[in-house]
Amino acid sequence: KNQVEQSPQSLIILEGKNCTLQCNYTVSPFSNLRWYKQDTGRGPVSLTIMTFSENTKSNGRYTATLDADTKQSSLHITASQLSDSASYICVVSAYSGGGADGLTFGKGTHLIIQP
Amino acid sequence: NAGVTQTPKFRVLKTGQSMTLLCAQDMNHEYMYWYRQDPGMGLRLIHYSVGEGTTAKGEVPDGYNVSRLKKQNFLLGLESAAPSQTSVYFCASSYLGVTYNEQFFGPGTRLTVL
């Protein structure tokens, strides 16, 4: 069964500090890995999408890495801001015949930035 | 562009009542999806549609029905609500299949069944 595990479940850091969120997956056959940001009371918003051949991808202060050999990904947030307080969800896409039901969602890491 | 919109934002039902959640997208996307999000769990796919007039079951379809009469709208129905259906419901859309295309999510509907 395809699975996505995220750690830590929750994290509290001070504003201005950096942090790294982890994602381990067992999804086959692997297509791509996505990181989403979900603000409280809102829908998820895409941060990055990485395919098998991509090791690193950045979106402003967010940098995602992918190690397809060990099936691990990380999301690094640099110089955190209060607006970074949110849940961060790792989503792994498997090749599927219909192309509509191949996503496995992690449970998310709840990040709180304190002033 | 409004993107993906959902109505209503909040709803409280009594066990056995019925309701319909409406999702609309203005991005001309072919694929649309309904997910539910429960505490401590990842998003789970309820039903999806790969085009106007088509629907298919996802991971947790029991107790729900859907219709896609127009390309831009995707309706989720609960015929006889149960407390186990208390959840936050998200609609999403993508240009084509999720294997290669980004999904765009709506703001969610928080449903409580008493």
Side-chain angles (χ1 to χ4, degrees), chain B residues 21-40:
Chain B
L21 282 65
L22 171 63
C23 175
Q25 53 94 6
D26 61 1
M27 296 174 282
N28 201 35
H29 285 172
E30 290 294 333
Y31 286 51
M32 296 186 75
Y33 318 79
W34 276 106
Y35 292 91
R36 60 179 290 173
Q37 187 176 42
D38 299 296

Side-chain angles (χ1 to χ4, degrees), chain B residues 11-104:
Chain B
R11 186 70 187 269
V12 178
L13 290 179
K14 293 181 180 178
T15 298
Q17 287 185 319
S18 63
M19 78 162 295
T20 300
L21 282 65
L22 171 63
C23 175
Q25 53 94 6
D26 61 1
M27 296 174 282
N28 201 35
H29 285 172
E30 290 294 333
Y31 286 51
M32 296 186 75
Y33 318 79
W34 276 106
Y35 292 91
R36 60 179 290 173
Q37 187 176 42
D38 299 296
M41 301 187 73
L43 283 153
R44 293 182 293 169
L45 182 63
I46 304 171
H47 285 280
Y48 62 93
S49 168
V50 301
E52 181 178 319
T54 74
T55 62
K57 294 180 180 180
E59 179 186 356
V60 288
D62 294 342
Y64 305 95
N65 56 75
V66 288
S67 63
R68 182 101 181 267
L69 299 179
K70 293 183 179 180
K71 185 178 182 178
Q72 63 269 31
N73 295 337
F74 195 28
L75 278 62
L76 178 70
L78 287 74
E79 291 186 346
S80 180
S84 61
Q85 294 178 304
T86 294
S87 187
V88 181
Y89 292 86
F90 288 99
C91 177
S93 71
S94 61
Y95 179 64
L96 290 174
V98 292
T99 304
Y100 301 106
N101 293 273
E102 182 178 356
Q103 273 186 320
F104 294 84

Side-chain angles (χ1 to χ4, degrees), chain A residues 59-76:
Chain A
N59 179 356
R61 294 179 295 102
Y62 301 101
T63 299
T65 64
L66 173 64
D67 186 334
D69 292 332
T70 61
K71 298 185 178 181
Q72 296 179 325
S73 176
S74 64
L75 180 69
H76 186 74

Side-chain angles (χ1 to χ4, degrees), chain A residues 28-108:
Chain A
S28 180
F30 176 84
S31 173
N32 59 68
L33 184 145
R34 309 152 186 229
W35 282 95
Y36 284 86
K37 179 186 179 188
Q38 184 176 20
D39 293 318
T40 300
R42 309 290 292 273
V45 175
S46 179
L47 292 175
T48 64
I49 300 177
M50 290 186 294
T51 61
F52 184 88
S53 60
E54 296 175 294
N55 300 115
T56 303
K57 202 158 195 179
S58 292
N59 179 356
R61 294 179 295 102
Y62 301 101
T63 299
T65 64
L66 173 64
D67 186 334
D69 292 332
T70 61
K71 298 185 178 181
Q72 296 179 325
S73 176
S74 64
L75 180 69
H76 186 74
I77 303 175
T78 304
S80 61
Q81 300 177 358
L82 296 178
S83 59
D84 292 331
S85 293
S87 286
Y88 291 84
I89 302 172
C90 177
V91 184
V92 182
S93 173
Y95 288 107
S96 67
D101 56 353
L103 298 183
T104 303
F105 289 80
K107 297 178 182 179

